[in-house]
């Protein structure tokens, strides 16, 4: 690990994890994060940022500033953001999405899907399905779409892939999961083994968010816990996770299940980092390296001839 990553990990442990652990409920957590975002200084982004409707919700569209350098609008990265299904918004992930655009030239679409507990399962998944359908209706071939998601967004990504398969709709060209939550039942050994090592996620708070997202439902339903679904014939998949996370086994077991189903999967386990470190490219080199790896994987599957660097 770099010195910067070591320092950032401890800062996150002392601030973000402590704040998550001591929030009274999921709505209090959302209010605290919104206040923190309101007090933050505005940042300039090296990308063109706009919004457009995708289904019943609005999506943020992040594109290259220099249209001539872009790979054009015939391709798309559909990014499903994390936040334990109860918090989060597209703008929170701009450090990551803008870097993806800079590396690929492909526009990134981030749906502002509806959150629990006001909108429980399957509302968020329905919103993500509608966003994918809208991209198809805009004339973008599924083989020119990559589906990405982190944490809860990674859960929605895999659930969407399973739903597309069930409905007979085309799979995207690639799937990329950043520490995806694939097993909401918490049956992975790392959920307990890494409870002290995880620098960000308190296990008890994640369990509360799961209860808010899918109350009175079986946690082994495939669209709730994709680990238990039929993973045959889903798109080529890249998984990135840290060995310190409580969700480590959600990725390692998902990779095993995809391979057992005959699918193509690449699993990158990074040492010593924290949950979704990729959103800190301005602070740590490991985030920049991980994003470059994601871009390389995606571009190979989209079969684009040109790749735009930073």
């Amino acid at each position: 690990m770099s010195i910067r990553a070591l320092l950032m990990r401890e800062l996150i442990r002392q601030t973000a994890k402590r704040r998550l652990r001591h929030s009274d409920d999921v709505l209090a957590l959302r209010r605290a994060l919104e206040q923190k975002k309101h007090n933050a200084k505005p940042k300039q982004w090296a990308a063109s940022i706009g919004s457009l409707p995708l289904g019943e919700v609005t999506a943020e569209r992040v594109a290259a500033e220099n249209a001539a350098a872009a790979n054009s609008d015939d391709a798309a990265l559909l990014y499903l953001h994390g936040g334990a299904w109860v918090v989060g918004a597209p703008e929170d992930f701009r450090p990551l999405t803008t870097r993806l655009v800079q590396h690929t030239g492909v526009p990134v679409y981030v749906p502002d899907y509806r959150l629990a507990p006001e909108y429980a399962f399957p509302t968020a998944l329905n919103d993500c399905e509608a966003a994918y359908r809208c991209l198809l209706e805009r004339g973008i071939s599924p083989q020119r779409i990559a589906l990405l998601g982190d944490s809860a967004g990674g859960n929605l990504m895999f659930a969407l892939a399973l739903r597309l398969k069930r409905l007979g709709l085309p799979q995207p060209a690639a799937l990329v999961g950043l520490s995806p939550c694939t097993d909401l039942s918490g049956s992975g050994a790392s959920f307990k083994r890494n409870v002290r090592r995880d620098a960000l996620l308190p296990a008890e708070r994640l369990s509360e968010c799961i209860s808010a997202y899918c109350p009175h439902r079986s946690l082994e339903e495939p669209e709730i816990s994709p680990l238990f679904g039929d993973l045959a014939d889903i798109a080529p998949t890249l998984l990135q996770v840290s060995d310190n996370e409580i969700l480590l086994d959600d990725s390692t077991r998902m990779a095993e299940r995809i391979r057992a189903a005959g699918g193509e999967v690449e699993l990158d386990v990074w040492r010593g980092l924290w949950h979704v470190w990729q959103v800190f490219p301005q602070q740590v080199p490991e985030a920049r390296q991980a994003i470059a790896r994601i871009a390389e994987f995606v571009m190979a599957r989209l079969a684009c001839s040109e790749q735009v660097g930073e």
Side-chain angles (χ1 to χ4, degrees), residues 7 13 46 64 78 86 154-155 186 207 259 275 290-291 298 301 303 307:
L7 293 173
R13 187 188 303 277
L78 182 61
V86 301
N155 169 276
S207 297
R259 289 193 191 101
H275 185 63
I291 294 170
V298 165
R301 275 70 191 174
Q307 190 165 350

Side-chain angles (χ1 to χ4, degrees), residues 15-293:
T15 57
K17 186 171 186 177
R18 184 171 295 179
R19 183 167 60 246
L20 290 173
R21 179 177 285 131
H22 295 295
S23 295
D24 293 333
D25 55 47
V26 295
L27 294 180
L29 171 61
R30 188 189 301 169
R31 288 192 296 270
L33 293 177
E34 287 295 327
Q35 184 61 41
K36 183 174 182 289
K37 183 164 59 175
H38 177 75
N39 293 336
K41 295 180 180 179
K43 295 181 178 179
Q44 299 298 318
W45 305 101
S48 172
I49 298 174
S51 62
L52 75 164
L54 286 182
E56 294 188 41
V57 299
T58 299
E60 182 166 276
R61 181 180 183 274
V62 184
E65 279 189 315
N66 181 1
N71 276 309
S72 80
D73 274 345
D74 71 342
L77 308 183
L78 182 61
Y79 189 90
L80 309 181
H81 71 76
W85 306 275
V86 301
V87 298
E91 60 266 26
D92 301 335
F93 294 82
R94 286 178 188 167
L96 171 55
T97 57
T98 55
R99 290 264 176 168
L100 285 171
V101 169
Q102 290 164 22
H103 274 282
T104 66
V106 177
V108 179
Y109 298 82
V110 190
D112 193 12
Y113 60 81
R114 288 169 287 183
L115 301 174
E118 297 92 336
Y119 298 98
F121 175 86
T123 303
L125 180 56
N126 293 344
D127 289 343
C128 295
E129 177 195 344
Y132 184 79
R133 287 177 178 269
C134 284
L135 292 178
L136 298 179
E137 291 167 3
R138 290 167 65 90
I140 303 177
S141 165
Q143 290 307 304
R144 297 280 286 161
I145 299 174
L147 188 56
L148 304 87
D150 72 273
S151 194
N155 169 276
L156 292 169
M157 177 195 75
F158 279 119
L160 177 55
L162 291 174
R163 178 176 286 189
L164 295 174
K165 177 181 171 181
R166 177 172 61 82
L167 296 176
L169 292 171
Q171 289 284 315
L175 303 175
V176 178
L178 314 183
S179 303
C181 188
T182 66
D183 174 16
L184 274 64
S185 72
S187 64
S190 63
F191 199 78
K192 293 182 178 179
R193 184 180 69 244
N194 283 347
V195 69
R196 293 185 180 276
R197 298 176 67 199
D198 194 309
L200 178 61
L201 292 182
E204 68 278 10
R205 190 63 67 238
L206 180 58
S207 297
E208 291 173 7
C209 293
I210 289 170
S211 296
Y213 172 58
C214 48
H216 316 301
R217 303 292 294 248
S218 168
L219 297 182
E220 294 188 0
E221 291 183 40
E223 290 189 357
I224 290 176
S225 292
L227 180 71
F228 304 117
D230 178 3
L231 299 169
D233 302 318
I234 66 169
T237 301
L238 171 65
L239 295 168
Q240 291 184 343
V241 67
S242 168
D243 63 349
N244 277 353
E245 296 189 55
I246 60 174
L247 296 182
L248 170 62
D249 286 0
D250 284 46
S251 286
T252 58
R253 292 193 298 159
M254 194 66 169
E256 292 170 359
R257 292 290 309 277
I258 293 172
R259 289 193 191 101
E264 176 187 345
V265 60
E266 298 182 21
L267 172 65
D268 294 348
V269 179
W270 295 62
R271 294 187 60 187
L273 297 170
W274 57 93
H275 185 63
V276 195
W277 73 94
Q278 297 91 337
V279 298
F280 294 95
Q282 294 170 309
Q283 290 86 1
V284 297
E286 288 87 345
R288 297 191 291 273
Q289 294 160 9
I291 294 170
R293 163 81 166 119

